[in-house]
Amino acid sequence: MKLTTKLHGLLDYIVVIFLLASPTLFDLPPSTSLFTYILGFVHLALTITTDFPPGLIKLIPAKVHGIVELAVSIALVGVAFILEMIDGQVAKYFYLPFAAAVFFIWLITDYKHKA
């Protein structure tokens, strides 16, 4: 199964809402909360500016969007362990599954498909 960029973009907006709500929903510690809010706004900016159907400004090619998400999914594994040292295990338990989810969505998305 391959996701279209249209569906991927819609999922991105859901991910943004999830990230912005997560500090409250999961009672995340301070540093983890701050990082999660920043990640949410960065992801929103990336989604808004990507050249796919849900994008609003269409500056970034969908393929570049995919490269960024792959890099982020890998970096989030490290972030999970760094935040664990600062805020405890909740950060690791939040960010390892989130990194896996971002990687999975990257893996199944057809970034060449524009609809």
Side-chain angles (χ1 to χ4, degrees):
M1 173 180 120
K2 284 287 189 179
L3 284 182
T4 64
T5 54
K6 180 178 182 177
L7 183 54
H8 179 105
L10 295 174
L11 287 173
D12 277 350
Y13 286 113
I14 293 168
V15 167
V16 167
I17 293 167
F18 171 77
L19 286 170
L20 296 178
S22 288
T24 301
L25 288 175
F26 301 110
D27 195 28
L28 296 177
S31 295
T32 302
S33 291
L34 178 61
F35 182 82
T36 305
Y37 287 130
I38 292 169
L39 182 61
F41 285 113
V42 168
H43 198 71
L44 177 61
L46 178 65
T47 303
I48 287 172
T49 58
T50 297
D51 183 19
F52 55 22
L56 302 176
I57 300 174
K58 302 184 188 309
L59 297 173
I60 299 169
K63 189 171 184 175
V64 172
H65 179 109
I67 292 167
V68 170
E69 286 190 338
L70 173 60
V72 166
S73 73
I74 295 165
L76 287 177
V77 173
V79 166
F81 290 101
I82 292 167
L83 287 173
E84 178 189 28
M85 291 187 286
I86 298 167
D87 281 343
Q89 288 190 335
V90 69
K92 180 176 72 175
Y93 294 144
F94 180 80
Y95 272 105
L96 286 181
F98 185 70
V102 172
F103 180 78
F104 178 73
I105 295 299
W106 170 83
L107 190 64
I108 66 169
T109 298
D110 179 1
Y111 290 96
K112 296 174 190 166
H113 191 265
K114 292 277 185 153

